[in-house]
Amino acid sequence: MVEPTLDGARDRRGRFPVDWSRGVRAEMPHLMELKALLSALQLRAGWRMRQGDAPGAWLDVERMLGLAARLDDPVIIGRLVRVAAIGMACSTIVDLVALGPLPAPNQRARLDTALTLAEDLDGFQRGLRGELYMVLRTFEAEGAEALDDLGAKGAQRLTLWLTLDRVEREWAEVNGRASRA
């Protein structure tokens, strides 16, 4: 089998390059590429376990979780792909447990760490903020013409998001003043 390129799979600092200045037109081809790589790792993990290479199979799961942790796009689709990646890794763990030996204690510790790093409890909140930023960025760059593409419902949602953002900022200001008093 071909060895996937996984340089830095354990390094959370790595980001996939996206030109966020393009607003809602930002392209994210890395999401499909990541999904394909995760599928290849999932298949290879099962193949390795069947071939008697349990440490290699568990290493592939660790790499899957490492890739999920690196996916830190500040938009909803990025968050959903991250959740799907964690789901694929967990599904692979279930399959591997049924096929062969459990990971060695040191691998269990690394898998536990990788799973902890992949978890992201406030990621969807950041994703919603990122979506708002992208819409605002597009609106700033293209003006009212950008609303034409949104249609009536989209314009209503944009207005709601802008209102919620304003309310959230005002609430933060009120809380800031109350905590200083």
Side-chain angles (χ1 to χ4, degrees):
M1 284 187 118
V2 176
E3 183 74 22
T5 55
L6 295 168
D7 294 337
R10 294 184 192 140
D11 184 4
R12 270 186 68 96
R13 294 168 299 164
R15 296 284 306 257
F16 297 96
V18 175
D19 181 7
W20 298 112
S21 69
R22 296 193 63 210
V24 296
R25 289 174 180 73
E27 296 179 9
M28 296 173 257
H30 64 283
L31 296 177
M32 290 302 295
E33 294 168 7
L34 183 68
K35 179 85 166 63
L37 182 56
L38 289 163
S39 294
L41 285 168
Q42 188 175 39
L43 288 171
R44 188 174 74 174
W47 178 81
R48 281 181 157 181
M49 186 63 84
R50 285 180 183 86
Q51 297 300 312
D53 181 12
W58 293 112
L59 180 61
D60 283 342
V61 174
E62 186 180 342
R63 288 175 170 167
M64 292 173 75
L65 291 168
L67 289 169
R70 283 191 64 198
L71 185 59
D72 198 25
D73 292 353
V75 290
I76 295 298
I77 187 66
R79 310 322 297 174
L80 292 172
V81 172
R82 183 178 179 145
V83 168
I86 294 169
M88 289 175 73
C90 290
S91 174
T92 304
I93 290 170
V94 169
D95 293 344
L96 294 181
V97 166
L99 287 174
L102 295 175
N106 63 334
Q107 278 188 308
R108 277 187 225 153
R110 285 198 321 265
L111 283 167
D112 185 52
T113 300
L115 188 55
T116 301
L117 290 173
E119 290 175 349
D120 186 12
L121 302 178
D122 64 340
F124 280 99
Q125 184 178 19
R126 282 197 323 272
L128 287 172
R129 288 184 172 286
E131 296 286 333
L132 176 60
Y133 169 80
M134 287 177 55
V135 169
L136 292 174
R137 188 82 173 126
T138 302
F139 185 69
E140 288 172 357
E142 299 179 23
E145 298 83 41
L147 288 179
D148 292 340
D149 291 342
L150 293 175
K153 284 193 176 208
Q156 288 173 346
R157 288 185 187 128
L158 175 60
T159 303
L160 177 62
W161 277 1
L162 291 172
T163 303
L164 290 173
D165 185 58
R166 182 177 47 91
V167 168
E168 188 175 279
R169 278 186 276 129
E170 289 173 3
W171 179 254
E173 285 178 27
V174 168
N175 281 337
R177 278 182 274 175
S179 66
R180 287 189 297 260

